Amino acid sequence: MNSDLWVEEKLEDFLGLRFKVEKTLFSGKSEFQTVDVVETRGHGKLLLNDGLVMVTERDEFVYHDMITHVPLFVHPNPKRVLVIGGGDGGTAREVIRHKSVEKCVMVEIDEMVVNACKEHIPQTASCLSDPRIELIIDDGVKYVKEAANQGEKFDVILVDSTDPIGPAQPLFGHEFYENIYKSLSEDGIVVSQGESPFYQTDMQNKLVQILNDTFPIVSIYNFSNLTYPGGLWSFTFGSKKYHPLNDFKEEAVAASELDFEYYNKEIHRGAFAIPSFMRKRLSSWLKD
Ligand code: SAM
């Protein structure tokens, strides 16, 4: 944390994104990471894990709409959804807006993140008291392995993780995705935080390659995120049966009667139109 009341997320040694801080609301260090919640001048409350921006109140709806509603409107009847990570609660909040969802299991490794958000960012975390959400404080890698061995199945799995450092590192690995595949129902879909298409190309390549090895349908889609370095961010899409565009039933969006601030049927289709520099880099692994 900066003492002159700015926080700065640094990307390697060449880029920084700064936020003016009015007040520090929480600062802690868990066994996994540092956790800070600050009140900013321009973006409302901001959660940082290990100094990296996780969510801000001002624009969290963009990330949470796009990680959730894209797969949940491709799957025709998602009943059981698993969220890995997502300790701020924003993804689980969007999942349970879908009437078909009977249960959302959320597995977050760090209780400090959940408690800090419950206390200071109710905009995302207040949903965690909903009876359809089962919050488990555990390692998502371990949980998915056990679920795979025990034959537990989910229709959609959302990997809402931090960058691949510390406990999130295995979330970007082969074994994790093999267990994800086994834990999905026969028409299941996985969507994962897919890093920056400009700056984290090695990690994005690796993730798409792993999906290519594991799933018959592999795609990637983009969204704009004001508060992540570079502003353009990706989610990866792996699916056993449904194609993200060919099987997308536009009428289901209107029929849901849900009101969104970012997502709509045109954004859904447009998000998969990735720029040429990404397609050139990823084309040998995409199966879309
Ligand atoms: N939207 C955010 C982003 O991309 O910056 C992600 C937000 S959410 C706060 C990410 C969460 O993933 C963190 O709270 C972190 O503790 C959790 N996480 C990291 N590794 C994990 C693991 N192995 N199992 C479960 N949760 C994990």
Side-chain angles (χ1 to χ4, degrees):
M1 301 275 289
N2 259 337
S3 56
D4 66 349
L5 295 180
W6 288 80
V7 280
E8 181 174 34
E9 168 167 351
K10 286 209 177 83
L11 185 89
E12 297 173 34
D13 60 356
F14 61 85
L15 182 71
L17 188 60
R18 295 208 319 154
F19 298 84
K20 181 79 177 92
V21 173
E22 300 286 6
K23 194 157 67 164
T24 298
L25 301 171
F26 177 85
S27 256
K29 187 165 176 20
S30 72
E31 66 177 289
F32 305 106
Q33 56 208 339
T34 59
V35 179
D36 295 289
V37 181
V38 295
E39 179 77 53
T40 67
R41 182 164 296 173
H43 294 82
K45 290 169 192 156
L46 159 61
L47 167 71
L48 300 118
N49 289 2
D50 276 342
L52 303 178
V53 174
M54 296 288 113
V55 291
T56 82
E57 283 183 318
R58 182 164 185 181
D59 73 334
E60 55 83 11
F61 64 93
V62 181
Y63 180 100
H64 294 128
D65 271 16
M66 291 304 278
I67 191 172
T68 305
H69 302 307
V70 169
L72 268 76
F73 279 116
V74 172
H75 195 290
N77 192 23
K79 289 185 177 163
R80 285 173 52 78
V81 178
L82 172 64
V83 178
I84 301 291
D88 53 79
T91 298
R93 178 195 68 198
E94 292 306 308
V95 167
I96 58 166
R97 294 179 73 201
H98 287 254
K99 289 195 190 87
S100 64
V101 173
E102 293 166 0
K103 180 150 196 163
C104 174
V105 178
M106 177 178 138
V107 184
E108 161 63 56
I109 203 166
D110 195 343
E111 193 165 23
M112 186 181 279
V113 175
V114 176
N115 289 340
C117 291
K118 277 186 180 166
E119 188 172 350
H120 298 290
I121 317 186
Q123 179 175 315
T124 54
S126 63
C127 70
L128 295 174
S129 54
D130 188 289
R132 283 183 296 162
I133 299 177
E134 181 186 356
L135 171 63
I136 297 173
I137 301 296
D138 204 350
D139 182 355
V141 177
K142 176 170 153 257
Y143 181 88
V144 169
K145 188 172 183 176
E146 285 167 6
N149 290 338
Q150 289 161 12
E152 201 176 340
K153 300 288 181 200
F154 294 92
D155 301 308
V156 175
I157 299 180
L158 305 175
V159 185
D160 182 4
S161 73
T162 38
D163 290 342
I165 41 174
Q169 215 162 0
L171 299 176
F172 292 74
H174 243 110
E175 190 188 346
F176 177 64
Y177 278 92
E178 279 157 20
N179 287 324
I180 290 261
Y181 186 91
K182 288 184 202 153
S183 311
L184 282 168
S185 49
E186 59 191 22
D187 58 357
I189 299 171
V190 60
V191 162
S192 308
Q193 193 271 100
E195 302 288 86
S196 161
F198 279 108
Y199 296 125
Q200 287 147 332
T201 52
D202 288 349
M203 194 42 67
Q204 187 166 89
N205 289 353
K206 183 177 167 199
L207 207 50
V208 176
Q209 268 176 279
I210 291 172
L211 287 172
N212 173 284
D213 291 342
T214 321
F215 284 87
I217 296 168
V218 179
S219 196
I220 190 162
Y221 59 99
N222 285 339
F223 62 104
S224 56
N225 196 314
L226 317 181
T227 54
Y228 290 172
L232 185 70
W233 218 258
S234 308
F235 287 116
T236 58
F237 183 103
S239 174
K240 290 188 176 180
K241 180 174 175 185
Y242 302 117
H243 187 278
L245 297 178
N246 301 344
D247 293 310
F248 169 49
K249 303 277 182 291
E250 290 189 352
E251 55 285 5
V253 179
S256 74
E257 294 179 355
L258 293 174
D259 181 38
F260 306 108
E261 293 303 312
Y262 190 84
Y263 180 82
N264 56 44
K265 60 185 181 357
E266 291 81 12
I267 283 278
H268 182 121
R269 291 204 174 278
F272 287 88
I274 60 169
S276 301
F277 77 89
M278 281 180 77
R279 192 156 284 287
K280 282 181 205 161
R281 173 165 55 77
L282 296 168
S283 62
S284 48
W285 309 302
L286 291 173
K287 297 182 201 163
D288 60 353

